[in-house]
Amino acid sequence: MLMSKLVVKTLREAPADAEAISHQLLVRAGYIRRLASGVYSFLPLGLRVLRKVEAIVREEFDAVGAQELFLPALHPVEIWQETNRINTMDDVLMKVEVRGADFVLGPTHEEAVIATVSPDLASYRDLPATVYQIQTKFRAEARPRFGLLRTREFIMADAYSFDADKEGMRTTYKTIFDAYCAIFDRIGVDYFPVEADAGSIGGDVNHEFMVPAAIGEDHFAYCKACGYAANIEAAVRGERRTESSGAVEVLRKVETPNSPTIKAVVDFLNSHGHVASAENSLKSMIAIGPNGAYHLLLVPGDRKVRIPSSLRAAEASDFDANPNLHLGYIGPVGLREVGVTIWVDRSVSEEIGYCTGANEVGYHLLDVVLGRDFIADHVADLVEVVGGDPCPRCEGDIELVRSVEAGHTFQLGLTYSNKIKSARFSGEDGSEAPYFMGCYGIGISRIPAVVAEVSHDANGLIWPLELSPFEVVVVALGYSTNDLVTDTADRIYDSLLEEDVDVLLDDRNLAAGVKLKDADLIGVSYQIVVGARGVAEGNVEVKDRQSGEATVVAISKVGEYLLDLLA
RNA sequence: CGGGGAGUGGCGCAGCGGCAGCGCACCUGGUUUGGGACCAGGGGGUCGGGGGUUCAAAUCCCCCCUCCCCGACCA
């Protein structure tokens, strides 16, 4: 490709609306351009990178026997009604009406893939099977941001696996999981498969593929000592012995006017002759179960509650509907007797007298003891981990790592097959059974941005060879004025094309500085700099964009030298 | 959806009642070619949209739209 013909115009300055470094660089270097909020066009350079990402995914999926198919983006609303995700995913669905018929623009394709392939997977003899698709998906993101990192229209690769039983599903999951690792190895970024929360997609075991990055919207808990890694929404902390503070006094009620928060209560008590602290208070959070039942979650007052995925946080209307609940003064004592299920965090001790709400406006209880003054129905991990918490697997400490989610694999089990009539096959004994499914997604259009976030310098992008839009750029300085340069650059370019190298020749009539700056900005993995100074002595310079190292190479040897680098 | 900020040529910005400007980019001619080079000439704008105030509005007022940031949300 001749750069004079390439549809691209680099920018010296980034658009003012680009915040993330990946966004700035991809726009400046001419890879992408915004069409609307969260909607981006891929220019020729950007598409080349995208195609390379896709090629890696195809190769690794194909290698484990997954078969590519193509599904519609336009889904009839009925298939979304069958799983009820028309309601549960309402906030992200883009809906369109076409001549009186209702459609959904697919944000994910579980319904569509089942509807499509179930006739082909009618018997246990047809299983296991894995199919995948690489295509555009849509989400009505409330707030698109960070360029390609969170968009309304995006390209995903999603694989879907179908097995006859749980064991088969687990085996398939492991196979695809390994393929994911192979994919991310080739993409060339540091990544961590972390245990994660299943979110609205449902299912059981699942892993997020996280790439540590300063811009990341997620955090995962990580233990350097043993490698434990879990999304903050799924992470738990280990036990740490809390020293008992000695004798626990009797339960008593104290007046605490205008103290609806932990901080207010602690401040009030401490200034009125009591000794109180957030750690020795219990934060009481009301959550609602799937059947509308009330649950009380108790965690130490200095910690953030992590609501179990089976429950949802209570809303104002839920408090209004239950006369036993006085927001700001809720506590465990007596609530179980009025039908509230009591949960306590694992760290709540039976040897500590806690301060809790008295279920009466303006009053709290002191020295409330688990087992003595109230009984817990469930003991669970209810706090969000923080840096410094003990690792649940070893003696180490947890740290929180900011990161971007690049992929997500799920063991769905029967989550969808149980809801969708056609998601069944005939077993060996002739009876019908639902598929054990898995699904596995990679944000294809997010990958270039993720890589750009972690691989750039002050001069621009730095692509790993596998993703570089070209393998090498021939930067011809004085191409329009120096015949020897022109001739040398052309010969190198032609010989590389001959060897099927993906090569770009900067033949533009521009100042040397501009060409060198552009080459760095665009970030092609290798540069061959052809200048008057070198060619007079029979040399060119080969620069590795990653290391910045430049090597003087004889013109006659440069083809061979480069093929070695690319091998 | 709540809070904050911004819309002036492709990009970055100035102008803030009185002729719409600057840098980059673009076009023509010339010089130049190892780190965004120089000279001369040139093209491109309903100042986001609508309404109002005024002799006069990019500039003041009202409504709307779009975009960005923080939060809520996040397959």
Side-chain angles (χ1 to χ4, degrees):
Chain A
M1 171 66 70
L2 298 178
M3 198 149 177
S4 60
K5 305 289 186 204
L6 186 65
V7 177
V8 70
K9 195 76 75 184
T10 59
L11 295 175
R12 195 182 296 229
E13 290 172 288
D17 61 16
E19 172 89 353
I21 187 72
S22 63
H23 187 193
Q24 293 177 8
L25 290 175
L26 289 170
V27 171
R28 277 189 59 208
Y31 285 75
I32 59 170
R33 187 161 292 138
R34 192 180 66 77
L35 190 58
S37 181
V39 181
Y40 286 84
S41 301
F42 283 81
L43 294 160
L45 279 176
L47 185 62
R48 279 177 166 264
V49 175
L50 218 47
R51 291 286 184 249
K52 300 219 170 174
V53 176
E54 290 175 2
I56 292 171
V57 171
R58 285 198 170 93
E59 284 169 28
E60 298 301 333
F61 277 174
D62 289 347
V64 294
Q67 297 168 54
E68 185 169 8
L69 46 62
F70 194 85
L71 299 168
L74 209 53
H75 301 178
V77 71
E78 290 77 13
I79 65 174
W80 284 83
Q81 287 164 341
E82 192 171 5
T83 54
N84 194 38
R85 287 210 291 180
I86 189 73
N87 295 317
T88 56
M89 286 184 70
D90 178 65
D91 51 338
V92 300
L93 290 180
M94 289 197 202
K95 297 170 193 164
V96 288
E97 196 212 293
V98 182
R99 295 183 184 276
D102 290 323
F103 291 90
V104 167
L105 292 179
T108 175
H109 284 64
E110 285 78 15
E111 287 85 350
V113 76
I114 290 170
T116 299
V117 303
S118 62
D120 301 307
L121 306 177
S123 156
Y124 73 96
R125 296 173 211 244
D126 300 320
L127 303 178
T130 300
V131 295
Y132 72 94
Q133 39 138 205
I134 298 180
Q135 59 200 70
T136 301
K137 308 203 176 193
F138 300 86
R139 290 176 57 88
E141 284 294 344
R143 181 144 91 87
R145 59 184 124 175
F146 304 139
L148 292 182
L149 287 172
R150 182 159 294 281
T151 56
R152 291 186 164 134
E153 175 175 330
F154 52 95
I155 300 171
M156 286 280 296
D158 269 312
Y160 300 95
S161 67
F162 301 84
D163 274 275
D165 53 38
K166 193 166 192 173
E167 196 185 339
M169 174 186 75
R170 286 185 170 155
T171 305
T172 303
Y173 184 83
K174 181 74 172 77
T175 302
I176 309 282
F177 182 93
D178 290 344
Y180 260 62
C181 293
I183 288 165
F184 283 100
D185 285 341
R186 287 179 64 183
I187 285 169
V189 292
D190 280 338
Y191 67 96
F192 295 81
V194 310
E195 296 169 25
D197 189 67
S200 66
I201 199 159
D204 186 10
V205 173
N206 71 98
H207 293 88
E208 283 175 326
F209 284 71
M210 304 294 253
V211 177
I215 196 82
E217 299 176 87
D218 294 305
H219 287 87
F220 68 86
Y222 181 62
C223 172
K224 269 200 187 97
C226 70
Y228 171 75
N231 186 292
I232 190 153
E233 273 147 32
V236 297
R237 55 180 177 155
E239 306 269 342
R240 183 166 283 166
R241 285 248 70 76
T242 42
E243 62 285 8
S244 165
S245 52
V248 177
E249 297 187 41
V250 296
L251 177 71
R252 58 206 184 281
K253 184 160 95 174
V254 294
E255 198 172 356
T256 52
N258 304 315
S259 305
T261 64
I262 297 278
K263 185 181 182 315
V265 175
V266 169
D267 288 349
F268 178 87
L269 291 174
N270 283 329
S271 61
H272 288 76
H274 299 278
V275 178
S277 67
E279 306 91 277
N280 282 6
S281 300
L282 288 181
K283 187 181 281 186
S284 299
M285 177 174 239
I286 295 294
I288 308 297
N291 53 3
Y294 285 78
H295 297 255
L296 174 67
L297 310 180
L298 294 166
V299 303
D302 58 337
R303 303 301 297 246
K304 218 171 149 182
V305 182
R306 186 174 61 95
I307 302 173
S309 53
S310 58
L311 307 178
R312 65 164 173 86
E315 294 162 15
S317 58
D318 299 311
F319 288 100
D320 294 344
N322 190 328
N324 298 310
L325 302 178
H326 306 286
L327 200 49
Y329 299 93
I330 296 169
V333 179
L335 273 193
R336 193 161 183 267
E337 290 68 23
V338 293
V340 178
T341 305
I342 311 292
W343 299 59
V344 299
D345 180 65
R346 210 174 287 289
S347 67
V348 173
S349 166
E350 294 186 341
E351 293 166 17
I352 294 177
Y354 291 98
C355 168
T356 79
N359 293 315
E360 190 179 338
V361 174
Y363 290 91
H364 278 76
L365 299 179
L366 298 183
D367 283 296
V368 176
V369 177
L370 170 62
R372 183 187 78 179
D373 303 317
F374 70 100
I375 294 170
D377 295 284
H378 303 287
V379 176
D381 291 298
L382 299 177
V383 304
E384 195 172 290
V385 300
V386 298
D389 273 346
C391 173
R393 302 269 169 85
C394 76
E395 301 298 308
D397 283 347
I398 280 175
E399 61 178 301
L400 292 187
V401 181
R402 183 178 277 270
S403 57
V404 175
E405 178 185 354
H408 205 155
T409 56
F410 300 84
Q411 290 182 19
L412 295 175
L414 304 175
T415 310
Y416 293 90
S417 341
N418 271 340
K419 289 185 189 152
I420 299 176
K421 266 210 171 98
S422 66
R424 299 195 188 336
F425 65 97
S426 300
E428 223 164 332
D429 61 0
S431 67
E432 252 191 359
Y435 303 128
F436 276 83
M437 292 183 61
C439 79
Y440 319 84
I442 292 184
I444 298 286
S445 52
R446 187 181 266 192
I447 295 292
V450 170
V451 173
E453 283 295 332
V454 299
S455 182
H456 64 267
D457 64 14
N459 295 318
L461 297 161
I462 302 175
W463 294 108
L465 185 58
E466 287 248 31
L467 298 190
S468 187
F470 293 91
E471 292 169 299
V472 57
V473 54
V474 178
V475 186
L477 308 178
Y479 187 86
S480 307
T481 53
N482 183 315
D483 289 345
L484 191 54
V485 167
T486 314
D487 192 53
T488 305
D490 282 346
R491 278 194 293 124
I492 292 171
Y493 175 66
D494 288 338
S495 69
L496 290 174
L497 280 181
E498 198 92 341
E499 298 287 344
D500 281 330
V501 173
D502 211 358
V503 56
L504 176 67
L505 171 61
D506 190 349
D507 60 334
R508 298 174 301 170
N509 181 13
L510 290 173
V514 176
K515 294 186 168 194
L516 291 165
K517 286 283 188 193
D518 270 353
D520 283 350
L521 177 60
I522 289 169
V524 167
S525 300
Y526 295 104
Q527 302 172 7
I528 299 176
V529 181
V530 181
R533 214 170 57 194
V535 292
E537 293 160 12
N539 295 324
V540 295
E541 211 172 86
V542 177
K543 182 175 146 185
D544 180 334
R545 179 67 181 90
Q546 172 81 54
S547 67
E549 273 173 40
T551 310
V552 175
V553 180
I555 294 168
S556 57
K557 294 270 167 50
V558 71
E560 196 183 327
Y561 182 85
L562 206 81
L563 288 173
D564 268 0
L565 288 177
L566 300 179

